[in-house]
Short mmCIF file of all heavy atoms in Angstrom, two decimals:
data_model
loop_
_atom_site.label_atom_id
_atom_site.label_comp_id
_atom_site.label_asym_id
_atom_site.label_seq_id
_atom_site.Cartn_x
_atom_site.Cartn_y
_atom_site.Cartn_z
N SER B 2 -1.27 -19.71 5.80
CA SER B 2 -0.52 -21.09 5.93
C SER B 2 -1.51 -22.02 6.74
O SER B 2 -2.19 -21.58 7.70
CB SER B 2 0.90 -20.96 6.49
OG SER B 2 0.65 -20.15 7.76
N GLU B 3 -1.52 -23.19 6.17
CA GLU B 3 -2.20 -24.31 7.10
C GLU B 3 -1.62 -25.53 6.94
O GLU B 3 -0.65 -25.84 6.17
CB GLU B 3 -3.72 -24.41 6.51
CG GLU B 3 -3.81 -24.59 4.97
CD GLU B 3 -5.21 -24.54 4.57
OE1 GLU B 3 -6.04 -23.81 5.09
OE2 GLU B 3 -5.52 -25.43 3.80
N VAL B 4 -1.92 -26.53 7.94
CA VAL B 4 -1.21 -27.90 7.94
C VAL B 4 -2.35 -28.86 8.43
O VAL B 4 -3.19 -28.52 9.21
CB VAL B 4 0.05 -27.80 8.83
CG1 VAL B 4 -0.35 -27.47 10.37
CG2 VAL B 4 0.78 -29.05 8.71
N LYS B 5 -2.21 -30.04 7.76
CA LYS B 5 -3.08 -31.05 8.25
C LYS B 5 -2.35 -32.08 9.19
O LYS B 5 -1.16 -32.43 8.88
CB LYS B 5 -3.45 -31.87 6.92
CG LYS B 5 -4.78 -32.54 7.10
CD LYS B 5 -5.08 -33.48 5.89
CE LYS B 5 -6.24 -33.07 4.97
NZ LYS B 5 -6.59 -34.01 3.95
N VAL B 6 -2.90 -32.32 10.28
CA VAL B 6 -2.31 -33.06 11.35
C VAL B 6 -3.13 -34.21 11.76
O VAL B 6 -4.31 -34.19 11.73
CB VAL B 6 -1.87 -32.33 12.63
CG1 VAL B 6 -0.77 -31.38 12.16
CG2 VAL B 6 -2.95 -31.66 13.27
N HIS B 7 -2.42 -35.31 12.21
CA HIS B 7 -3.15 -36.46 12.82
C HIS B 7 -2.75 -36.56 14.33
O HIS B 7 -1.51 -36.75 14.63
CB HIS B 7 -2.83 -37.77 11.97
CG HIS B 7 -3.82 -38.84 12.33
ND1 HIS B 7 -5.07 -38.86 11.84
CD2 HIS B 7 -3.69 -39.79 13.19
CE1 HIS B 7 -5.71 -39.92 12.25
NE2 HIS B 7 -4.84 -40.56 13.25
N ALA B 8 -3.60 -36.65 15.07
CA ALA B 8 -3.25 -36.59 16.54
C ALA B 8 -4.33 -37.32 17.46
O ALA B 8 -5.36 -37.72 16.82
CB ALA B 8 -3.09 -35.21 17.01
N GLY B 9 -4.03 -37.39 18.69
CA GLY B 9 -4.85 -38.18 19.55
C GLY B 9 -6.22 -37.45 19.88
O GLY B 9 -7.20 -38.09 20.09
N SER B 10 -6.10 -36.13 19.91
CA SER B 10 -7.31 -35.40 20.27
C SER B 10 -7.29 -34.07 19.65
O SER B 10 -6.33 -33.66 19.06
CB SER B 10 -7.29 -35.24 21.92
OG SER B 10 -6.22 -34.35 22.21
N ARG B 11 -8.38 -33.31 19.68
CA ARG B 11 -8.45 -32.02 19.18
C ARG B 11 -7.28 -31.08 19.74
O ARG B 11 -6.66 -30.27 19.04
CB ARG B 11 -9.71 -31.42 19.51
CG ARG B 11 -10.02 -30.03 19.08
CD ARG B 11 -11.33 -29.43 19.56
NE ARG B 11 -11.55 -28.12 18.99
CZ ARG B 11 -10.96 -27.07 19.52
NH1 ARG B 11 -10.14 -27.13 20.56
NH2 ARG B 11 -11.20 -25.83 18.98
N ASP B 12 -7.09 -31.17 21.13
CA ASP B 12 -6.19 -30.30 21.67
C ASP B 12 -4.64 -30.68 21.35
O ASP B 12 -3.94 -29.73 21.07
CB ASP B 12 -6.26 -30.37 23.23
CG ASP B 12 -7.47 -29.82 23.71
OD1 ASP B 12 -7.98 -28.87 23.05
OD2 ASP B 12 -7.84 -30.02 24.92
N GLU B 13 -4.46 -31.96 21.16
CA GLU B 13 -3.05 -32.43 20.65
C GLU B 13 -2.92 -31.98 19.30
O GLU B 13 -1.84 -31.48 18.89
CB GLU B 13 -2.92 -33.92 20.73
CG GLU B 13 -2.72 -34.37 22.08
CD GLU B 13 -2.68 -36.02 22.18
OE1 GLU B 13 -2.02 -36.50 21.25
OE2 GLU B 13 -3.24 -36.66 23.09
N ALA B 14 -3.90 -32.05 18.46
CA ALA B 14 -3.90 -31.64 17.09
C ALA B 14 -3.58 -30.10 16.89
O ALA B 14 -2.71 -29.71 16.13
CB ALA B 14 -5.23 -31.86 16.33
N LEU B 15 -4.14 -29.42 17.90
CA LEU B 15 -4.00 -28.02 17.88
C LEU B 15 -2.58 -27.64 18.19
O LEU B 15 -1.86 -26.80 17.53
CB LEU B 15 -4.97 -27.30 18.88
CG LEU B 15 -4.98 -25.67 18.84
CD1 LEU B 15 -6.35 -25.17 18.74
CD2 LEU B 15 -4.30 -25.23 20.03
N ALA B 16 -2.02 -28.27 19.24
CA ALA B 16 -0.68 -28.06 19.71
C ALA B 16 0.32 -28.51 18.62
O ALA B 16 1.25 -27.71 18.34
CB ALA B 16 -0.44 -28.79 20.99
N GLU B 17 0.07 -29.65 18.10
CA GLU B 17 0.97 -30.06 16.96
C GLU B 17 0.96 -29.24 15.80
O GLU B 17 1.95 -28.88 15.25
CB GLU B 17 0.62 -31.51 16.63
CG GLU B 17 1.61 -32.59 16.94
CD GLU B 17 1.18 -33.85 16.38
OE1 GLU B 17 1.18 -34.21 15.20
OE2 GLU B 17 0.61 -34.73 17.11
N GLY B 18 -0.24 -28.82 15.41
CA GLY B 18 -0.39 -28.05 14.15
C GLY B 18 0.28 -26.60 14.39
O GLY B 18 1.03 -26.16 13.55
#
Side-chain angles (χ1 to χ4, degrees):
Chain B
S2 53
E3 52 183 39
V4 62
K5 210 188 237 185
V6 294
H7 194 80
S10 70
R11 180 185 178 280
D12 289 342
E13 284 178 43
L15 187 130
E17 243 184 80

